[in-house]
Amino acid sequence: MNTLIAFTVAYLIGSLSFAVIVSKLMGLPDPHSYGSGNPGATNVLRTGKKLAALLTLAGDAGKGWFAVWLAQRVAVDFSLNETTLAAVALAVFIGHLFPIFFRFQGGKGVATAAGILLAINLWLGLATLATWLVIAVFFRYSSFAALVASIFAPFYSAYLFGFTVYFPAVFVMCLLLIWRHRENITKLINGTESKLGSKKTPAEAPSAIEQ
């Protein structure tokens, strides 16, 4: 029962779409209604409001971190084992992708995944973020950087924890993240993906940094 409650609470936390919440609080249009239609920081940035985009990024990463951190803090009191903690990590990510509060139309999960990995283990999160940064700097494709980081994250997890309960959760999360970037993969193959720093038109498809 405690596992089910923890999973549900984590999913509900993940369902808080900060792109929509921040946009409403700042009087901006629904991020589903313009640009890529993706409720993430990059699409919010298309409004020209950098603060709104930054708050969206921080909120999406923060909720991933908070859900796992909270479960870790109450684990002893509520008899939550590592399997439950791994389930919480996956639940908050699924909540972001398919938020019940916003018609299951969620983002791609990059920032939320980063927050989750940092909460699971600081070195796991930093290694994954470093991978993203190196690839992004050298190739200037945020989508490609996200995909490469997603491939490496399970290996980092296996190195740090072995093939314990955290590995399946990280592996499934990364598979979902790659699946959410299928349009970006097509654009990368076709050579039409936008590079970091390039000017975007509102009609362009989202880049991978969109949450």
Side-chain angles (χ1 to χ4, degrees):
M1 181 61 70
N2 285 346
T3 297
L4 179 60
I5 293 173
F7 187 92
T8 302
V9 170
Y11 170 77
L12 294 175
I13 292 173
S15 291
L16 297 172
S17 178
F18 279 87
V20 178
I21 295 171
V22 170
S23 293
K24 285 185 177 181
L25 290 176
M26 299 187 69
L28 301 174
D30 188 325
H32 294 101
S33 67
Y34 61 87
S36 67
N38 185 71
T42 299
N43 207 33
V44 172
L45 186 60
R46 288 190 172 103
T47 64
K49 302 295 184 180
K50 294 182 179 179
L51 177 59
L54 181 61
L55 290 174
T56 298
L57 184 66
D60 283 341
K63 71 183 180 184
W65 177 87
F66 176 74
V68 178
W69 175 85
L70 180 62
Q72 292 169 340
R73 296 286 76 77
V74 302
V76 174
D77 294 334
F78 291 91
S79 301
L80 305 181
N81 56 28
E82 283 194 340
T83 300
T84 300
L85 296 180
V88 164
L90 189 57
V92 67
F93 187 73
I94 292 174
H96 177 78
L97 300 187
F98 309 105
I100 192 172
F101 303 131
F102 302 100
R103 303 182 301 278
F104 303 103
Q105 298 176 8
K108 293 187 175 182
V110 178
T112 301
I116 292 168
L117 295 179
L118 285 168
I120 291 175
N121 181 272
L122 179 62
W123 293 111
L124 173 61
L126 290 178
T128 305
L129 286 172
T131 301
W132 185 95
L133 182 61
V134 169
I135 300 300
V137 168
F138 278 93
F139 293 93
R140 294 184 58 216
Y141 286 110
S142 60
S143 57
F144 184 53
L147 291 167
V148 173
S150 297
I151 292 171
F152 274 86
F155 290 98
Y156 297 146
S157 177
Y159 176 78
L160 289 168
F161 310 117
F163 294 95
T164 60
V165 292
Y166 280 114
F167 178 82
V170 173
F171 184 75
V172 172
M173 185 173 66
C174 290
L175 284 181
L176 287 171
L177 194 148
I178 291 171
W179 174 72
R180 292 290 283 187
H181 286 81
R182 58 195 184 277
E183 292 183 4
N184 300 92
I185 293 172
T186 300
K187 286 179 173 293
L188 285 166
I189 293 172
N190 295 334
T192 56
E193 178 73 315
S194 299
K195 288 189 174 183
L196 287 168
S198 62
K199 294 182 178 180
K200 299 178 178 66
T201 63
E204 282 187 288
S207 65
I209 198 171
E210 293 179 333
Q211 314 315 317

